[in-house]
């Protein structure tokens, strides 16, 4: 097994706010991130695929296919958007980077399995950086 | 003269849109950045002060004073905001990173002149990074 | 389980020297790092917390609580210090980055367990970067 | 167990091309990387050694020994070379970064085991970055 | 005047060798970079355009136009190539990063002047990074 | 004229303290950096040489000569030292990064002029990064 990681970038805005909580509770939990009009980030997304190296090509996965899949499933959906207002998923779920990271994993996982020459390749993990000082990782499971 | 540069970070969202232009013109100029609900960035701000080294302290400026000034004048105003909706300046001016860079320079320039032990120190330039692949610099003048 | 990593920075000096070894042995082991008056580093500390995403908040842990804990337990103790002379732990133990990394893990581990809304969250690992070209990771265990 | 990672850099060129495939298949698989005269990269190599901290020295491994081993086994062999033409291994195997990463692991693994004061230390993994947006990791096994 | 810098990346290989010099002189000057089969780099190219901010758009230049120009004039020409063998310019001129930097400046300078809404914008400088530890800048002139 | 910049790294410790000032004044000016036993940094030093490209070699300066000069004049002197206690210059001058930056410039300037094939090359500027969030530049003059 070798692990191939490819880096993507997208920019989006969000507001951290849960309507079922009080204003005070929202403020205490999210601080400035509860600002009514939102704020934004340059997200850095690292997608890691695991699999054996296919002997003839010397490759663990087709990078072009990976790029097209991430472009279509993630970047077109989230880049240059307001997560709360533009995306159906985050109308009812708070768009924290935790939830965004899990949503990206769940979206990519079925799309990156069993492609052509790489039947054993699979999504290993997703890493989503929100700012220069924090990032989140999700590898599936509960 | 020595040049001291200090790095700050803030997150904000914006929408690039000029209401005096047509929808087509806005689309052509700003592309995805014209998205109605906005999108966001982690801005990286480098503030450069120029001045002689004061002999007794060995310092070109008081870093604590610089931090307090940038915190009060820039970070409190812009961090975790929506530039178009939260800031008076950008209700009538398109909040491109060019305009934000110039606004920060003009705000800091009078506040960073002639402080205590450092009467000859002055703001030299401001550099504002919007994403990993583009940044803007402004040093005053026309 | 999601993994949340937060980055902190501190500056300290140290001397690598074991008084129970001969001068030659110290020199062979630590080379220039055995310099009598010490030398210093900007350490980059990544603290990773693992846990399920709490449904109501969408968060894996309270970042404010994490910041306060690391500030109080690690940064106030080590930032802008001489590890050998200012810290009790490193009077008898050589302050290699290995030992510093383990000390930080052991200090944080009991403080980051079972907090309020996040009873299942726990410290997963600590990563301590000494220079641009080497870093250490510790995740507990023997 | 603590994990020590050390970063190295080398520059090399390669051409991705498998002579047993047709020109069309090579083009479809490798795209521009199939360019007849090759192209190049600045590779960033992270070598991770795992082991217990040796009590007397406070170290997990001898960094000088690690540097000498990587210099002799990897950097002298690959730095400033054309992988396809200068290296025997890649005359018959396509020098993808996957294959280069595995070759480096297999070369280093026997050389980094059971050294002097650190009998339990062993190579844990190798990470090879090809460009700013992709890297590969190999930790042995099938 | 504001300065807008945009970052691009390309990979190429080169050999530093001047056929009019002796083998010894080539070796003394270029060291390992004289390797007969070449070696490679991931070049990082920063293109800086200077100009006033156009009032209506709030922009110093059209980023889309800049991207298309650099893509067409520089990236298509040099990315994934062997500079010595694939490019006419470097058949007679040694493809040092100095010469490549100047060639890129001279190619872009006439293409980035006097575009549509930005008649006063002009190429200010080009910065070309060869490795993590060296880069070159050229701003025209002799 | 082309500008060649080369990056070097060294680690040192220092204490910011002026014995002619009171304890209160030292504390107010230098804060935690006045800690009696010192603290440390990983300094990043960028040395920029300016000159015309020499036609035969395609180079602006001899990188090997630059490396040897910086190694001998700067790195051997400051790397893995305590600036206050190990270096004569900083026994009487406070080792702020401003003063260290100027000292490096003044040391290198006469050594990097008029070398062999590059008689017109000269030191253009020195940039010294103290931490991830501040750096200093000096280009000579008063």
């Amino acid at each position: 097994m070798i692990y191939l990681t490819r880096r993507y970038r997208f920019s989006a805005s969000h507001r951290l706010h849960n309507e079922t909580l009080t204003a005070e509770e929202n403020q205490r939990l999210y601080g400035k991130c509860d600002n009514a009009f939102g704020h934004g980030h340059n997200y850095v997304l690292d997608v890691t695929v695991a699999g054996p190296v296919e002997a003839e090509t010397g490759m663990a996965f087709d990078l072009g296919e990976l790029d097209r899949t991430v472009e279509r499933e993630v970047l077109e959906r989230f880049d240059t958007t307001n997560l709360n207002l533009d995306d159906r998923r985050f109308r009812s779920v708070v768009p924290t980077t935790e939830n965004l990271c899990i949503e990206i994993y769940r979206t990519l996982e079925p799309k990156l399995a069993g492609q052509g020459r790489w039947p054993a390749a699979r999504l290993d993990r997703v890493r989503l950086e929100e700012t220069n000082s924090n990032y989140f990782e999700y590898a599936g499971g509960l």
Side-chain angles (χ1 to χ4, degrees), chain A:
Chain A
M1 290 292 254
I2 197 163
Y3 295 81
L4 171 176
T5 299
R6 186 112 168 131
R7 175 160 287 187
Y8 304 90
R9 296 170 188 275
F10 63 94
S11 296
S13 64
H14 66 170
R15 180 196 183 185
L16 301 186
H17 185 84
N18 182 337
E19 299 208 345
T20 71
L21 300 173
T22 65
E24 290 69 28
E25 185 72 352
N26 272 297
Q27 189 54 39
R28 212 187 54 72
L29 275 167
Y30 302 120
K32 290 192 299 180
C33 300
D34 180 32
N35 175 51
F37 300 126
H39 65 284
H41 296 295
N42 301 328
Y43 293 96
V44 180
L45 169 68
D46 285 2
V47 175
T48 300
V49 172
V53 176
E54 195 272 330
E56 204 171 37
T57 58
M59 291 160 64
F61 201 69
D62 182 331
L63 274 190
E65 182 59 27
L66 180 56
D67 283 358
R68 282 186 296 274
T69 304
V70 176
E71 176 70 32
R72 186 183 65 233
E73 302 291 333
V74 180
L75 305 187
E76 284 183 13
R77 176 174 168 194
F78 296 123
D79 189 27
T80 335
T81 68
N82 178 309
L83 298 175
N84 305 61
L85 300 175
D86 283 313
D87 196 80
R88 180 187 302 267
R89 169 71 181 159
F90 296 112
R91 288 200 191 126
S92 54
V93 171
V94 186
T96 55
T97 305
E98 284 93 330
N99 280 334
L100 181 55
C101 184
I102 292 172
E103 178 69 12
I104 291 172
Y105 180 92
R106 291 186 177 158
T107 301
L108 288 177
E109 198 274 338
K111 308 287 180 183
L112 293 173
Q115 303 259 2
R117 279 176 181 269
W118 294 273
R122 57 171 176 73
L123 178 63
D124 180 67
R125 63 184 191 270
V126 154
R127 179 191 189 275
L128 189 59
E129 187 181 301
E130 185 184 53
T131 71
N132 181 262
S133 59
N134 52 284
Y135 70 82
F136 298 85
E137 290 163 302
Y138 186 64
L142 282 183

